[in-house]
Amino acid sequence: MSHLEYSAEIADLLGRVRRRPLAGWPWRPGEPVPDGLPVKQSWGWLFVPDGRVLTLVNPRDGVVSLPGGSLEPEDAGDPGRALAREAGEEAQAVIGPPHYLGYLYDRVGSANGGHECARVRMAAALRAAGPTAPDPASGRHYRRLLVAPGLAVELLGWGAPGLRQARAAVAAAVALLGVPAAANEAIEELPPPGAAFSS
């Protein structure tokens, strides 16, 4: 078994992680969103060249998330545009072109006023992250961790459905972004001044 490497500060942060209950939204890998089903959210698996992905930890409540969020009017219905905007706002991230992976079918419409909707998942290269700053929409000041995709699923609390989603993301990233199938397993926090990643 490989040894996970991380600092004492990250160990303290991970000790406060709180997993959300599974929502039970069915994962539709590779399927286009059906006509008439509104896309309300877009979230991304953002890969650095060593195969790790960006996760965000809210230090106030310990909830872990992928970068992303709700589509806004300025996104013009484009989930890729929404992901790029949300990643910039939440994580000060600059990403490459997003690749569609599939969607989660939200039958109860918790993101759409009680009406069914789709929550899109995408994969993209993380090219850079600027100086850390609060999300202008929520005021949350996320901690930015790079972790292996399998560990991201564990931190997110997504169980087997999340693992299937992560496998789809990794397969796309290997084929389209040139990342290794086996990611670096060290856990690393992005420095407050930011970082750039060569492809």
Side-chain angles (χ1 to χ4, degrees):
M1 177 178 260
S2 58
H3 175 67
L4 292 178
E5 297 179 16
Y6 49 89
S7 69
E9 186 177 9
I10 289 176
D12 178 65
L13 180 63
L14 294 179
R16 292 181 275 127
V17 164
R18 182 174 62 83
R19 293 165 182 84
R20 292 176 174 152
L22 281 176
W25 302 314
W27 167 235
R28 308 289 193 214
E31 295 181 23
V33 177
D35 291 341
L37 184 65
V39 175
K40 287 296 179 178
Q41 292 189 330
S42 179
W43 301 80
W45 295 86
L46 306 184
F47 288 84
V48 296
D50 66 11
R52 291 180 294 177
V53 294
L54 179 63
T55 57
L56 305 178
V57 184
N58 183 349
R60 290 184 185 171
D61 59 14
V63 170
V64 179
S65 62
L66 295 177
S70 298
L71 274 71
E72 301 292 348
E74 62 263 36
D75 302 321
D78 182 347
R81 185 181 295 180
L83 173 59
R85 177 185 54 74
E86 288 280 357
E89 291 175 356
E90 294 176 342
Q92 302 72 55
V94 177
I95 66 172
H99 302 278
Y100 179 79
L101 299 173
Y103 72 96
L104 295 164
Y105 173 55
D106 181 353
R107 63 172 63 84
V108 300
S110 54
N112 190 31
H115 302 283
E116 65 178 357
C117 65
R119 297 168 181 254
V120 165
R121 293 294 187 265
M122 309 190 89
L126 176 61
R127 293 186 169 161
T132 184
D135 179 353
S138 67
R140 296 184 185 119
H141 202 137
Y142 294 102
R143 303 278 294 273
R144 307 174 294 181
L145 295 184
L146 296 178
V147 301
L151 179 57
V153 172
E154 177 63 26
L155 295 174
L156 291 159
W158 287 357
L163 193 56
R164 289 192 291 273
Q165 191 183 134
R167 286 177 178 149
V170 169
V174 169
L176 301 170
L177 306 177
V179 305
N184 180 343
E185 293 193 352
I187 303 170
E188 180 182 358
E189 184 168 11
L190 294 183
F197 303 96
S198 59
S199 53

